[in-house]
């Protein structure tokens, strides 16, 4: 008698699942919700970082009055540069991920 072992997600070493189909759907929904939550938190951290860096760079004397024209222009340029930097970083990550996936694909002989 061969006793299969299952991981925390109900997947066996042979690839079969011990989960009922409705449980598997619930599990996938939960995983998707967690991934979405992580993405939202990541975006919030990026915005927080951008706000902090641009404030420190552009606002010299915080006051209760409105921002001056120079401060507004500085903030706009700072945010644009920050977003441009994020685009470059994201493009680099995507290119590296694609190259790594292609490398793994080729090394596995799945050409």
């Amino acid at each position: 008698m061969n006793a299969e072992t299952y991981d925390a997600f109900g997947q066996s070493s042979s690839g079969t699942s011990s989960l009922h189909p409705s449980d598997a759907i619930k599990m996938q929904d939960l995983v998707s919700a967690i991934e979405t939550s992580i993405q939202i938190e990541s975006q919030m951290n990026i915005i927080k970082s951008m706000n902090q860096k641009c404030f420190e760079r552009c606002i010299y004397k915080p006051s209760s009055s409105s921002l001056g024209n120079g401060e507004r222009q500085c903030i706009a340029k700072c945010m644009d540069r920050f977003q441009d930097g994020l685009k470059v970083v994201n493009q680099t990550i995507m290119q590296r991920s694609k190259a790594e996936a292609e490398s793994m694909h080729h090394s596995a002989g799945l050409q």
Side-chain angles (χ1 to χ4, degrees), residues 6-110:
Y6 294 90
D7 65 15
F9 295 103
Q11 195 73 23
S12 74
S13 55
S14 66
T16 62
S17 176
S18 67
L19 294 176
H20 186 273
S22 65
D23 291 336
I25 291 169
K26 289 177 187 176
M27 181 71 75
Q28 185 58 44
D29 289 345
L30 180 60
V31 169
S32 294
I34 291 170
E35 288 173 345
T36 299
S37 178
I38 290 170
Q39 289 173 350
I40 290 170
E41 184 176 351
S42 175
Q43 292 296 320
M44 289 173 61
N45 286 334
I46 289 169
I47 291 169
K48 180 180 176 182
S49 177
M50 180 176 59
N51 287 341
Q52 182 178 355
K53 289 180 187 299
C54 292
F55 182 86
E56 290 170 358
R57 181 174 291 154
C58 298
I59 310 299
Y60 301 109
K61 294 181 182 179
S63 66
S64 60
S65 62
S66 62
L67 296 174
N69 193 36
E71 291 172 324
R72 278 191 239 120
Q73 289 177 355
C74 179
I75 289 171
K77 288 178 183 178
C78 178
M79 292 175 85
D80 286 344
R81 283 193 301 262
F82 198 92
Q83 290 172 348
D84 289 343
L86 285 175
K87 286 179 189 176
V88 170
V89 168
N90 286 334
Q91 288 172 348
T92 302
I93 290 170
M94 294 299 290
Q95 289 170 350
R96 288 182 182 176
S97 294
K98 183 179 177 183
E100 185 176 314
E102 289 174 356
S103 174
M104 290 176 67
H105 186 75
H106 290 292
S107 67
L110 301 173

